[in-house]
Amino acid sequence: MSNDDPFIQETTPSPSVATRDADPWPDPWLVLVVDDEPEVHAVTRLVLTRLRFRGRPLKLMSCLSAAEAERVLRATPDIAIILLDVVMETEDAGLRLVRTIREEIGNHAIRIILRTGQPGQAPEEDVVLAYDINDYKSKAELTSQKLFTSVVAALRSYTDIVALETNRRGLQQIIQSTDRLFELRSMQQFAAGVLTQLSSVLRVKPNAILCAQRGEADGPLTVLAGAGRYADAVDHPDHALTPEIVAGINEAFRSKRGVYGADGSTLYIRVPDGHEVAAWIHTDRPLDGVDRALVEVFASKIAISFSNVSLYERLREANETLELRVAERTRALEEANARLNRLATLDPLTGVWNRRRFLELAGAELGRARRYGRHLGIFLLDLDRFKQVNDTYGHAAGDEVLRTVVRRTREALRASDHIARFGGEEFVVMLPETDIEGTLVVAERVRASLAQAPVPVEGRLVPIAASIGVANWLADETSIEQTLRRADSALYSAKQAGRNRVERG
Ligand SMILES: [Mg+2]
Protein backbone atom coordinates (compact mmCIF):
# COMPACT_ATOMS: atom_id res chain seq x y z
CA MET A 1 0.00 0.00 0.00
CA SER A 2 1.57 3.24 -1.19
CA ASN A 3 -0.65 5.72 0.64
CA ASP A 4 1.18 6.45 3.89
CA ASP A 5 -1.65 8.48 5.37
CA PRO A 6 -2.84 6.74 8.46
CA PHE A 7 -6.45 6.24 9.15
CA ILE A 8 -7.81 5.94 12.56
CA GLN A 9 -11.16 4.33 12.91
CA GLU A 10 -13.37 3.71 15.84
CA THR A 11 -15.79 0.96 16.44
CA THR A 12 -18.86 2.13 18.27
CA PRO A 13 -20.11 -0.32 20.85
CA SER A 14 -23.26 -2.01 19.66
CA PRO A 15 -26.31 -0.52 21.40
CA SER A 16 -27.85 -3.97 21.53
CA VAL A 17 -25.22 -5.12 23.98
CA ALA A 18 -25.69 -2.36 26.54
CA THR A 19 -26.75 1.24 26.45
CA ARG A 20 -24.17 3.81 27.44
CA ASP A 21 -26.38 5.23 30.18
CA ALA A 22 -26.77 1.92 31.92
CA ASP A 23 -23.05 1.23 31.75
CA PRO A 24 -21.13 2.40 34.80
CA TRP A 25 -17.86 1.98 32.86
CA PRO A 26 -18.53 3.85 29.64
CA ASP A 27 -14.88 4.29 28.74
CA PRO A 28 -13.80 1.78 26.09
CA TRP A 29 -10.49 -0.09 26.09
CA LEU A 30 -8.19 1.44 23.49
CA VAL A 31 -6.67 -1.07 21.06
CA LEU A 32 -4.26 0.14 18.39
CA VAL A 33 -3.96 -1.90 15.19
CA VAL A 34 -0.78 -1.12 13.23
CA ASP A 35 -0.46 -2.75 9.82
CA ASP A 36 0.30 -1.57 6.28
CA GLU A 37 -2.39 -3.83 4.82
CA PRO A 38 -5.88 -2.29 5.08
CA GLU A 39 -7.56 -5.72 4.95
CA VAL A 40 -5.87 -6.67 8.20
CA HIS A 41 -7.62 -3.76 9.91
CA ALA A 42 -11.00 -4.80 8.52
CA VAL A 43 -10.60 -8.43 9.56
CA THR A 44 -9.34 -7.53 13.04
CA ARG A 45 -12.33 -5.29 13.57
CA LEU A 46 -14.61 -8.08 12.54
CA VAL A 47 -13.18 -10.43 15.15
CA LEU A 48 -13.03 -7.93 18.01
CA THR A 49 -16.00 -5.68 17.42
CA ARG A 50 -18.36 -7.43 19.80
CA LEU A 51 -15.81 -8.10 22.47
CA ARG A 52 -16.56 -6.62 25.87
CA PHE A 53 -14.21 -6.99 28.77
CA ARG A 54 -15.41 -6.23 32.28
CA GLY A 55 -18.41 -4.49 30.82
CA ARG A 56 -16.39 -2.13 28.67
CA PRO A 57 -16.29 -2.21 24.86
CA LEU A 58 -13.22 -1.89 22.71
CA LYS A 59 -12.29 1.14 20.68
CA LEU A 60 -10.07 0.18 17.76
CA MET A 61 -7.60 2.74 16.44
CA SER A 62 -5.80 2.06 13.16
CA CYS A 63 -2.42 3.11 11.80
CA LEU A 64 -0.88 2.08 8.48
CA SER A 65 2.77 2.70 9.41
CA ALA A 66 5.07 2.45 12.40
CA ALA A 67 5.84 6.17 12.13
CA GLU A 68 2.21 7.17 12.44
CA ALA A 69 1.69 4.65 15.22
CA GLU A 70 4.54 6.25 17.16
CA ARG A 71 2.85 9.66 16.95
CA VAL A 72 -0.45 8.19 18.14
CA LEU A 73 1.25 6.29 20.96
CA ARG A 74 3.02 9.41 22.18
CA ALA A 75 -0.26 11.35 22.18
CA THR A 76 -2.35 8.58 23.77
CA PRO A 77 -0.71 7.09 26.84
CA ASP A 78 -3.66 4.92 27.89
CA ILE A 79 -3.84 2.52 24.93
CA ALA A 80 -4.21 -0.96 26.38
CA ILE A 81 -3.05 -3.15 23.49
CA ILE A 82 -1.15 -2.73 20.27
CA LEU A 83 -1.57 -5.33 17.54
CA LEU A 84 1.65 -4.74 15.64
CA ASP A 85 2.78 -5.83 12.18
CA VAL A 86 6.52 -6.44 11.71
CA VAL A 87 7.15 -5.59 8.07
CA MET A 88 5.81 -2.18 7.08
CA GLU A 89 7.80 0.80 5.76
CA THR A 90 10.94 -1.25 6.50
CA GLU A 91 11.64 -4.94 7.08
CA ASP A 92 11.79 -4.42 10.84
CA ALA A 93 9.61 -1.30 11.34
CA GLY A 94 7.43 -3.14 13.86
CA LEU A 95 10.37 -4.43 15.91
CA ARG A 96 11.91 -0.97 16.01
CA LEU A 97 8.59 0.42 17.21
CA VAL A 98 8.66 -2.08 20.11
CA ARG A 99 12.01 -0.62 21.23
CA THR A 100 10.67 2.93 20.86
CA ILE A 101 7.55 2.14 22.93
CA ARG A 102 9.43 0.54 25.80
CA GLU A 103 12.65 2.53 25.85
CA GLU A 104 11.91 5.98 24.44
CA ILE A 105 8.26 6.52 25.25
CA GLY A 106 8.73 4.52 28.43
CA ASN A 107 5.32 2.85 28.20
CA HIS A 108 5.64 -0.47 29.99
CA ALA A 109 1.95 -1.01 30.60
CA ILE A 110 0.77 -1.35 27.02
CA ARG A 111 0.50 -4.99 25.91
CA ILE A 112 2.24 -5.63 22.60
CA ILE A 113 0.99 -8.45 20.39
CA LEU A 114 3.30 -8.88 17.45
CA ARG A 115 1.81 -10.25 14.23
CA THR A 116 3.69 -11.29 11.15
CA GLY A 117 2.74 -12.68 7.81
CA GLN A 118 6.32 -13.87 7.15
CA PRO A 119 7.38 -15.89 10.19
CA GLY A 120 10.75 -16.63 8.57
CA GLN A 121 11.51 -12.94 8.58
CA ALA A 122 11.24 -12.75 12.35
CA PRO A 123 11.60 -16.15 14.00
CA GLU A 124 9.32 -16.34 17.04
CA GLU A 125 11.86 -17.60 19.57
CA ASP A 126 14.43 -14.94 18.69
CA VAL A 127 11.88 -12.15 18.71
CA VAL A 128 10.22 -13.09 21.98
CA LEU A 129 13.61 -13.23 23.69
CA ALA A 130 15.03 -10.08 22.13
CA TYR A 131 12.03 -7.76 22.31
CA ASP A 132 9.78 -6.81 25.18
CA ILE A 133 6.59 -8.13 23.61
CA ASN A 134 3.75 -10.00 25.25
CA ASP A 135 2.55 -12.25 22.48
CA TYR A 136 3.49 -13.36 18.99
CA LYS A 137 0.85 -14.32 16.46
CA SER A 138 0.89 -15.42 12.88
CA LYS A 139 -1.46 -13.59 10.61
CA ALA A 140 -2.85 -16.95 9.73
CA GLU A 141 -4.55 -16.82 13.12
CA LEU A 142 -6.15 -13.47 12.38
CA THR A 143 -9.69 -14.65 12.11
CA SER A 144 -9.47 -17.32 14.67
CA GLN A 145 -10.69 -17.49 18.21
CA LYS A 146 -7.01 -17.36 19.17
CA LEU A 147 -6.86 -13.61 18.51
CA PHE A 148 -9.92 -13.09 20.69
CA THR A 149 -8.36 -15.12 23.50
CA SER A 150 -5.05 -13.39 23.10
CA VAL A 151 -6.66 -9.91 23.33
CA VAL A 152 -8.70 -10.82 26.39
CA ALA A 153 -5.63 -12.24 28.14
CA ALA A 154 -3.71 -9.07 27.25
CA LEU A 155 -6.50 -6.83 28.59
CA ARG A 156 -6.51 -8.81 31.80
CA SER A 157 -2.81 -8.37 32.40
CA TYR A 158 -3.05 -4.72 31.29
CA THR A 159 -5.65 -3.98 33.98
CA ASP A 160 -3.48 -5.73 36.56
CA ILE A 161 -0.47 -3.67 35.55
CA VAL A 162 -2.45 -0.43 35.57
CA ALA A 163 -3.91 -1.30 38.96
CA LEU A 164 -0.45 -1.99 40.34
CA GLU A 165 0.89 1.22 38.86
CA THR A 166 -2.07 3.24 40.18
CA ASN A 167 -1.61 1.65 43.55
CA ARG A 168 2.10 2.40 43.55
CA ARG A 169 1.54 6.01 42.51
CA GLY A 170 -1.28 6.38 45.04
CA LEU A 171 0.83 5.04 47.89
CA GLN A 172 3.69 7.29 46.89
CA GLN A 173 1.23 10.18 46.86
CA ILE A 174 -0.05 9.19 50.30
CA ILE A 175 3.46 9.06 51.73
CA GLN A 176 4.28 12.47 50.26
CA SER A 177 0.98 14.00 51.30
CA THR A 178 1.11 12.72 54.86
CA ASP A 179 4.63 14.11 55.15
CA ARG A 180 3.28 17.44 54.00
CA LEU A 181 0.26 17.17 56.29
CA PHE A 182 2.53 16.51 59.26
CA GLU A 183 3.96 19.99 58.82
CA LEU A 184 0.59 21.72 59.07
CA ARG A 185 -0.07 22.96 62.54
CA SER A 186 -3.51 24.57 62.46
CA MET A 187 -6.65 22.46 62.17
CA GLN A 188 -8.08 24.63 59.41
CA GLN A 189 -4.95 24.37 57.26
CA PHE A 190 -4.75 20.68 57.95
CA ALA A 191 -8.38 20.01 57.02
CA ALA A 192 -7.96 21.87 53.73
CA GLY A 193 -4.74 19.93 53.10
CA VAL A 194 -6.52 16.61 53.65
CA LEU A 195 -9.08 17.43 50.96
CA THR A 196 -6.44 18.50 48.47
CA GLN A 197 -4.36 15.39 49.05
CA LEU A 198 -7.37 13.09 48.95
CA SER A 199 -8.44 14.42 45.58
CA SER A 200 -4.93 14.03 44.25
CA VAL A 201 -4.74 10.42 45.48
CA LEU A 202 -8.00 9.73 43.64
CA ARG A 203 -7.01 11.85 40.62
CA VAL A 204 -10.24 13.86 40.74
CA LYS A 205 -10.99 17.56 41.10
CA PRO A 206 -10.91 18.68 44.72
CA ASN A 207 -14.66 19.15 45.21
CA ALA A 208 -14.91 17.97 48.76
CA ILE A 209 -16.09 18.69 52.30
CA LEU A 210 -14.62 17.61 55.61
CA CYS A 211 -17.06 17.31 58.51
CA ALA A 212 -17.15 16.39 62.17
CA GLN A 213 -20.25 15.24 63.99
CA ARG A 214 -21.58 17.08 66.99
CA GLY A 215 -23.11 15.07 69.76
CA GLU A 216 -24.94 11.82 69.13
CA ALA A 217 -25.27 9.76 65.95
CA ASP A 218 -27.10 11.62 63.18
CA GLY A 219 -26.44 14.82 65.14
CA PRO A 220 -25.77 18.08 63.33
CA LEU A 221 -22.57 18.25 61.27
CA THR A 222 -19.80 20.80 61.65
CA VAL A 223 -17.95 21.64 58.44
CA LEU A 224 -14.20 21.76 59.11
CA ALA A 225 -13.12 22.55 55.56
CA GLY A 226 -14.40 22.80 52.03
CA ALA A 227 -12.63 22.71 48.69
CA GLY A 228 -13.51 23.39 45.06
CA ARG A 229 -17.21 24.05 44.62
CA TYR A 230 -17.63 23.61 48.39
CA ALA A 231 -14.98 26.22 49.23
CA ASP A 232 -17.46 28.35 51.21
CA ALA A 233 -18.94 25.38 53.07
CA VAL A 234 -17.46 26.49 56.40
CA ASP A 235 -19.38 29.78 56.23
CA HIS A 236 -22.47 28.39 54.50
CA PRO A 237 -22.85 24.78 55.65
CA ASP A 238 -26.59 24.61 54.92
CA HIS A 239 -26.01 25.52 51.31
CA ALA A 240 -23.17 23.03 50.81
CA LEU A 241 -24.50 20.06 52.74
CA THR A 242 -26.98 18.52 50.29
CA PRO A 243 -29.14 15.61 51.48
CA GLU A 244 -26.91 13.24 49.49
CA ILE A 245 -23.75 14.46 51.22
CA VAL A 246 -25.36 14.45 54.67
CA ALA A 247 -26.62 10.89 54.08
CA GLY A 248 -23.16 9.72 52.95
CA ILE A 249 -21.41 11.31 55.91
CA ASN A 250 -23.95 10.08 58.47
CA GLU A 251 -23.72 6.58 57.03
CA ALA A 252 -19.92 6.73 57.37
CA PHE A 253 -20.22 7.80 61.01
CA ARG A 254 -22.78 5.07 61.66
CA SER A 255 -20.90 2.23 59.98
CA LYS A 256 -17.46 3.60 60.95
CA ARG A 257 -16.05 2.96 57.50
CA GLY A 258 -15.88 4.45 54.02
CA VAL A 259 -19.10 4.78 52.01
CA TYR A 260 -18.79 4.55 48.24
CA GLY A 261 -21.56 5.93 46.02
CA ALA A 262 -22.03 6.31 42.30
CA ASP A 263 -20.44 9.76 42.05
CA GLY A 264 -19.38 10.60 45.55
CA SER A 265 -17.48 8.79 48.26
CA THR A 266 -17.17 9.36 51.98
CA LEU A 267 -13.91 8.73 53.72
CA TYR A 268 -14.17 7.81 57.39
CA ILE A 269 -11.33 8.83 59.68
CA ARG A 270 -11.10 7.77 63.29
CA VAL A 271 -8.58 9.93 65.11
CA PRO A 272 -6.62 8.12 67.86
CA ASP A 273 -7.83 10.66 70.45
CA GLY A 274 -11.40 9.38 69.93
CA HIS A 275 -12.61 12.06 67.51
CA GLU A 276 -14.23 11.10 64.22
CA VAL A 277 -14.25 13.02 60.98
CA ALA A 278 -15.58 12.22 57.53
CA ALA A 279 -14.63 13.64 54.16
CA TRP A 280 -17.11 13.58 51.32
CA ILE A 281 -15.57 13.86 47.87
CA HIS A 282 -17.21 14.18 44.47
CA THR A 283 -15.66 11.52 42.23
CA ASP A 284 -17.69 11.42 38.98
CA ARG A 285 -17.32 7.64 39.05
CA PRO A 286 -17.66 4.83 41.53
CA LEU A 287 -14.31 4.04 43.11
CA ASP A 288 -12.86 0.66 42.17
CA GLY A 289 -11.05 -1.71 44.51
CA VAL A 290 -7.67 -0.06 44.04
CA ASP A 291 -9.02 3.42 44.77
CA ARG A 292 -10.89 2.19 47.81
CA ALA A 293 -7.79 0.49 49.14
CA LEU A 294 -5.84 3.70 48.65
CA VAL A 295 -8.52 5.75 50.38
CA GLU A 296 -8.48 3.39 53.37
CA VAL A 297 -4.69 3.60 53.63
CA PHE A 298 -4.90 7.38 53.32
CA ALA A 299 -7.51 7.53 56.08
CA SER A 300 -5.44 5.46 58.48
CA LYS A 301 -2.31 7.50 57.74
CA ILE A 302 -3.85 10.93 58.19
CA ALA A 303 -5.65 9.86 61.36
CA ILE A 304 -2.29 10.09 63.12
CA SER A 305 -1.55 13.52 61.62
CA PHE A 306 -5.01 14.58 62.69
CA SER A 307 -4.42 13.76 66.31
CA ASN A 308 -1.02 15.44 66.01
CA VAL A 309 -2.60 18.70 64.90
CA SER A 310 -5.31 18.42 67.49
CA LEU A 311 -2.73 17.81 70.25
CA TYR A 312 -0.64 20.70 69.00
CA GLU A 313 -3.65 23.02 69.02
CA ARG A 314 -4.62 21.99 72.51
CA LEU A 315 -1.04 22.43 73.69
CA ARG A 316 -0.89 25.89 72.18
CA GLU A 317 -4.20 26.87 73.76
CA ALA A 318 -3.10 25.50 77.12
CA ASN A 319 0.15 27.38 76.78
CA GLU A 320 -1.61 30.62 75.96
CA THR A 321 -3.97 30.19 78.92
CA LEU A 322 -1.02 29.44 81.15
CA GLU A 323 0.91 32.46 79.95
CA LEU A 324 -2.15 34.62 80.46
CA ARG A 325 -2.62 33.29 83.97
CA VAL A 326 1.03 33.80 84.85
CA ALA A 327 0.82 37.39 83.56
CA GLU A 328 -2.33 37.99 85.62
CA ARG A 329 -0.79 36.54 88.74
CA THR A 330 2.37 38.57 88.25
CA ARG A 331 0.36 41.75 87.86
CA ALA A 332 -1.72 40.96 90.95
CA LEU A 333 1.46 40.20 92.88
CA GLU A 334 3.09 43.44 91.79
CA GLU A 335 0.02 45.39 92.82
CA ALA A 336 -0.09 43.64 96.18
CA ASN A 337 3.60 44.39 96.67
CA ALA A 338 3.12 48.05 95.80
CA ARG A 339 0.18 48.24 98.19
CA LEU A 340 2.17 46.58 100.96
CA ASN A 341 5.04 48.92 100.27
CA ARG A 342 2.78 51.94 100.54
CA LEU A 343 1.29 50.60 103.77
CA ALA A 344 4.75 50.00 105.18
CA THR A 345 6.14 53.40 104.32
CA LEU A 346 3.29 55.91 104.06
CA ASP A 347 0.91 57.51 106.50
CA PRO A 348 -2.51 56.39 105.22
CA LEU A 349 -4.32 59.59 106.25
CA THR A 350 -2.03 62.25 104.82
CA GLY A 351 0.08 60.29 102.30
CA VAL A 352 3.41 61.50 103.74
CA TRP A 353 6.15 59.12 105.03
CA ASN A 354 5.53 57.35 108.32
CA ARG A 355 7.96 57.39 111.24
CA ARG A 356 9.66 54.11 110.23
CA ARG A 357 10.37 55.27 106.70
CA PHE A 358 11.49 58.69 107.96
CA LEU A 359 14.11 57.14 110.22
CA GLU A 360 15.43 55.07 107.29
CA LEU A 361 15.68 58.16 105.09
CA ALA A 362 17.23 60.19 107.89
CA GLY A 363 19.86 57.47 108.47
CA ALA A 364 20.84 57.66 104.79
CA GLU A 365 20.91 61.49 104.77
CA LEU A 366 22.97 61.56 107.97
CA GLY A 367 25.52 59.17 106.39
CA ARG A 368 25.83 61.45 103.36
CA ALA A 369 26.16 64.59 105.53
CA ARG A 370 28.91 62.95 107.64
CA ARG A 371 30.80 61.65 104.58
CA TYR A 372 30.79 64.90 102.65
CA GLY A 373 30.64 67.36 105.58
CA ARG A 374 27.24 68.70 104.51
CA HIS A 375 24.48 70.39 106.53
CA LEU A 376 21.28 68.64 107.49
CA GLY A 377 18.32 70.61 108.87
CA ILE A 378 15.52 69.12 110.97
CA PHE A 379 12.41 70.59 112.51
CA LEU A 380 9.51 69.16 114.47
CA LEU A 381 6.09 70.71 113.96
CA ASP A 382 3.22 70.24 116.39
CA LEU A 383 -0.26 71.67 115.81
CA ASP A 384 -1.40 73.98 118.59
CA ARG A 385 -4.50 72.96 120.53
CA PHE A 386 -5.40 70.23 118.07
CA LYS A 387 -7.40 68.32 120.71
CA GLN A 388 -9.84 71.25 120.74
CA VAL A 389 -10.28 70.95 116.95
CA ASN A 390 -11.26 67.29 117.31
CA ASP A 391 -13.51 68.00 120.28
CA THR A 392 -15.25 70.99 118.65
CA TYR A 393 -15.57 69.95 115.05
CA GLY A 394 -15.27 66.17 115.20
CA HIS A 395 -12.61 63.72 114.00
CA ALA A 396 -13.49 64.05 110.31
CA ALA A 397 -12.76 67.78 110.56
CA GLY A 398 -9.57 66.96 112.45
CA ASP A 399 -8.46 64.65 109.61
CA GLU A 400 -9.22 67.34 107.06
CA VAL A 401 -7.13 69.83 109.07
CA LEU A 402 -4.19 67.39 109.14
CA ARG A 403 -4.35 66.97 105.35
CA THR A 404 -4.40 70.74 104.90
CA VAL A 405 -1.40 71.12 107.20
CA VAL A 406 0.52 68.64 105.06
CA ARG A 407 -0.47 70.39 101.83
CA ARG A 408 0.53 73.87 103.09
CA THR A 409 3.78 72.58 104.57
CA ARG A 410 4.71 70.83 101.33
CA GLU A 411 4.09 74.02 99.38
CA ALA A 412 6.63 75.77 101.59
CA LEU A 413 9.28 73.05 101.11
CA ARG A 414 11.64 72.15 98.28
CA ALA A 415 11.39 68.92 96.28
CA SER A 416 14.43 67.45 98.01
CA ASP A 417 12.98 68.00 101.51
CA HIS A 418 11.21 65.18 103.35
CA ILE A 419 8.12 65.39 105.50
CA ALA A 420 6.77 62.63 107.72
CA ARG A 421 3.98 62.22 110.24
CA PHE A 422 5.53 61.38 113.58
CA GLY A 423 2.48 61.06 115.79
CA GLY A 424 -1.12 62.30 116.06
CA GLU A 425 -0.62 65.95 115.17
CA GLU A 426 3.16 65.97 115.09
CA PHE A 427 5.20 66.14 111.86
CA VAL A 428 8.91 66.10 111.17
CA VAL A 429 10.68 67.81 108.28
CA MET A 430 14.21 67.06 107.09
CA LEU A 431 16.09 69.50 104.83
CA PRO A 432 19.29 68.09 103.23
CA GLU A 433 22.10 70.54 102.38
CA THR A 434 20.55 73.26 104.58
CA ASP A 435 22.32 75.13 107.39
CA ILE A 436 20.60 76.29 110.55
CA GLU A 437 19.78 79.74 109.16
CA GLY A 438 18.19 78.22 106.07
CA THR A 439 16.22 75.74 108.17
CA LEU A 440 14.91 78.56 110.37
CA VAL A 441 13.77 80.47 107.29
CA VAL A 442 11.87 77.47 105.94
CA ALA A 443 10.37 76.68 109.37
CA GLU A 444 9.15 80.24 109.71
CA ARG A 445 7.67 80.11 106.20
CA VAL A 446 5.76 76.97 107.13
CA ARG A 447 4.52 78.42 110.43
CA ALA A 448 3.30 81.59 108.71
CA SER A 449 1.58 79.65 105.96
CA LEU A 450 -0.32 77.57 108.51
CA ALA A 451 -1.36 80.49 110.73
CA GLN A 452 -2.21 82.78 107.82
CA ALA A 453 -5.68 81.39 107.18
CA PRO A 454 -8.19 79.12 108.91
CA VAL A 455 -9.06 75.78 107.30
CA PRO A 456 -12.55 75.57 105.75
CA VAL A 457 -14.27 72.35 106.82
CA GLU A 458 -17.90 71.61 105.86
CA GLY A 459 -18.73 75.31 105.59
CA ARG A 460 -16.96 76.31 108.81
CA LEU A 461 -13.58 77.95 109.28
CA VAL A 462 -11.17 76.20 111.68
CA PRO A 463 -8.29 78.43 112.79
CA ILE A 464 -4.95 76.60 113.04
CA ALA A 465 -1.41 77.27 114.20
CA ALA A 466 1.71 75.25 114.91
CA SER A 467 4.75 75.38 117.16
CA ILE A 468 8.07 74.42 115.57
CA GLY A 469 11.36 73.28 117.11
CA VAL A 470 14.43 73.51 114.83
CA ALA A 471 17.67 71.57 115.34
CA ASN A 472 20.36 71.07 112.70
CA TRP A 473 22.53 68.00 112.85
CA LEU A 474 25.82 68.61 114.67
CA ALA A 475 29.01 66.92 113.50
CA ASP A 476 29.48 65.10 116.83
CA GLU A 477 26.00 63.56 116.72
CA THR A 478 26.23 59.92 115.63
CA SER A 479 22.52 59.27 115.30
CA ILE A 480 19.56 61.30 114.10
CA GLU A 481 17.77 60.58 117.40
CA GLN A 482 20.19 62.93 119.16
CA THR A 483 19.29 65.74 116.75
CA LEU A 484 15.60 64.93 117.08
CA ARG A 485 15.87 65.19 120.88
CA ARG A 486 17.25 68.73 120.59
CA ALA A 487 14.47 69.64 118.10
CA ASP A 488 11.96 68.24 120.59
CA SER A 489 13.32 70.47 123.40
CA ALA A 490 13.10 73.47 121.08
CA LEU A 491 9.50 72.52 120.29
CA TYR A 492 8.78 72.34 124.03
CA SER A 493 10.29 75.80 124.42
CA ALA A 494 8.08 77.12 121.60
CA LYS A 495 4.99 75.75 123.34
CA GLN A 496 6.13 77.22 126.63
CA ALA A 497 6.76 80.58 125.01
CA GLY A 498 3.13 80.84 123.88
CA ARG A 499 2.79 78.59 120.80
CA ASN A 500 2.59 79.55 117.13
CA ARG A 501 6.29 80.23 116.96
CA VAL A 502 9.62 78.80 115.86
CA GLU A 503 12.40 78.00 118.39
CA ARG A 504 15.86 76.63 117.72
CA GLY A 505 17.55 74.01 119.87
MG1 LIG B 1 3.19 -5.83 6.56
Side-chain angles (χ1 to χ4, degrees):
M1 169 126 187
S2 57
N3 184 2
D4 203 29
D5 283 350
F7 65 94
I8 297 178
Q9 282 188 326
E10 299 180 8
T11 54
T12 337
S14 162
S16 65
V17 177
T19 64
R20 196 179 166 83
D21 285 346
D23 193 339
W25 290 106
D27 296 339
W29 304 103
L30 299 182
V31 176
L32 180 61
V33 182
V34 186
D35 205 300
D36 56 354
E37 293 170 54
E39 312 86 79
V40 171
H41 293 271
V43 173
T44 303
R45 191 166 302 116
L46 200 68
V47 174
L48 299 180
T49 193
R50 295 182 71 81
L51 190 155
R52 293 180 72 84
F53 179 68
R54 295 189 182 164
R56 294 165 64 183
L58 264 53
K59 176 176 162 184
L60 294 191
M61 305 162 76
S62 297
C63 290
L64 292 165
S65 71
E68 179 53 26
E70 186 183 331
R71 281 195 288 277
V72 170
L73 284 161
R74 284 188 190 277
T76 322
D78 52 350
I79 294 173
I81 299 173
I82 178 169
L83 296 166
L84 181 60
D85 187 17
V86 175
V87 181
M88 289 178 286
E89 55 264 57
T90 60
E91 291 288 293
D92 60 350
L95 294 176
R96 283 172 184 275
L97 185 59
V98 172
R99 286 254 151 85
T100 306
I101 291 169
R102 298 301 193 207
E103 289 163 24
E104 286 179 33
I105 301 176
N107 186 340
H108 298 280
I110 191 170
R111 301 293 86 192
I112 302 177
I113 300 173
L114 208 60
R115 299 196 297 181
T116 179
Q118 299 111 307
Q121 197 76 33
E124 182 167 352
E125 278 183 20
D126 297 349
V127 169
V128 165
L129 287 173
Y131 295 90
D132 185 3
I133 61 168
N134 306 100
D135 208 348
Y136 186 101
K137 288 274 170 273
S138 156
K139 284 191 187 172
E141 298 170 323
L142 261 181
T143 57
S144 73
Q145 183 67 29
K146 281 185 182 169
L147 176 62
F148 187 96
T149 307
S150 181
V151 165
V152 169
L155 279 176
R156 189 166 287 130
S157 59
Y158 174 77
T159 54
D160 287 347
I161 286 168
V162 168
L164 279 173
E165 180 56 19
T166 309
N167 214 334
R168 190 189 64 78
R169 263 204 305 262
L171 289 172
Q172 200 174 25
Q173 174 79 43
I174 287 168
I175 289 165
Q176 283 171 355
S177 67
T178 43
D179 277 356
R180 222 163 293 146
L181 289 171
F182 255 113
E183 291 164 9
L184 298 176
R185 288 285 176 250
S186 91
M187 188 53 84
Q188 215 175 358
Q189 269 187 330
F190 179 79
V194 166
L195 296 183
T196 312
Q197 302 300 349
L198 175 61
S199 58
S200 109
V201 166
L202 293 176
R203 305 174 314 284
V204 296
K205 289 193 182 115
N207 292 315
I209 299 183
L210 188 73
C211 289
Q213 201 169 33
R214 276 179 282 151
E216 294 303 300
D218 290 337
L221 299 172
T222 304
V223 176
L224 298 176
R229 75 173 78 135
Y230 306 105
D232 63 349
V234 173
D235 297 324
H236 304 283
D238 293 340
H239 175 71
L241 291 173
T242 63
E244 184 202 359
I245 296 176
V246 172
I249 290 175
N250 279 336
E251 176 57 25
F253 281 130
R254 224 179 351 254
S255 63
K256 307 211 178 295
R257 56 186 185 80
V259 175
Y260 303 97
D263 61 359
S265 293
T266 311
L267 168 66
Y268 172 78
I269 304 164
R270 184 176 184 81
V271 185
D273 65 7
H275 284 90
E276 294 174 302
V277 289
W280 187 91
I281 183 160
H282 185 73
T283 51
D284 270 329
R285 58 179 158 87
L287 298 187
D288 61 16
V290 171
D291 281 335
R292 291 183 190 194
L294 287 175
V295 164
E296 303 292 334
V297 172
F298 182 72
S300 68
K301 287 283 166 199
I302 61 170
I304 299 159
S305 308
F306 233 115
S307 84
N308 235 24
V309 173
S310 152
L311 271 176
Y312 183 85
E313 283 215 324
R314 263 184 288 164
L315 203 64
R316 207 190 50 208
E317 276 166 22
N319 222 11
E320 277 170 7
T321 314
L322 202 65
E323 276 173 16
L324 215 65
R325 247 186 244 166
V326 167
E328 269 170 23
R329 291 272 164 85
T330 307
R331 202 162 44 241
L333 206 63
E334 280 169 355
E335 276 170 17
N337 269 340
R339 212 163 40 239
L340 272 176
N341 219 20
R342 277 197 299 278
L343 285 176
T345 57
L346 293 182
D347 171 54
L349 176 65
T350 60
V352 298
W353 300 125
N354 59 19
R355 174 189 280 266
R356 201 184 119 250
R357 179 67 181 146
F358 176 83
L359 291 176
E360 276 173 16
L361 290 168
E365 288 294 348
L366 185 73
R368 221 181 337 267
R370 285 168 71 104
R371 236 183 345 270
Y372 304 112
R374 301 300 172 86
H375 296 286
L376 181 60
I378 295 278
F379 65 78
L380 283 170
L381 178 155
D382 192 83
L383 286 183
D384 295 333
R385 304 186 196 285
F386 184 67
K387 187 170 177 304
Q388 279 183 10
V389 174
N390 275 334
D391 292 348
T392 312
Y393 303 97
H395 285 276
D399 289 349
E400 182 55 36
V401 165
L402 288 173
R403 281 192 286 265
T404 305
V405 166
V406 163
R407 198 174 59 246
R408 289 188 189 171
T409 305
R410 267 191 170 148
E411 280 164 7
L413 298 177
R414 300 159 304 183
S416 56
D417 300 335
H418 301 289
I419 174 169
R421 188 171 175 204
F422 240 35
E425 67 267 33
E426 190 180 10
F427 296 88
V428 60
V429 173
M430 177 167 62
L431 306 94
E433 313 267 340
T434 310
D435 62 12
I436 185 68
E437 302 307 326
T439 308
L440 284 167
V441 168
V442 175
E444 176 53 30
R445 195 160 66 213
V446 169
R447 186 208 59 76
S449 139
L450 294 180
Q452 141 215 317
V455 179
V457 180
E458 292 169 3
R460 284 181 293 181
L461 293 172
V462 182
I464 57 165
S467 300
I468 297 178
V470 175
N472 265 37
W473 168 72
L474 300 175
D476 61 351
E477 288 174 335
T478 53
S479 83
I480 202 70
E481 277 81 4
Q482 292 169 275
T483 318
L484 283 170
R485 267 198 295 279
R486 286 192 293 110
D488 197 46
S489 325
L491 174 61
Y492 181 78
S493 305
K495 294 277 184 190
Q496 290 302 108
R499 302 188 174 88
N500 189 21
R501 56 192 294 130
V502 175
E503 287 291 334
R504 63 180 285 183

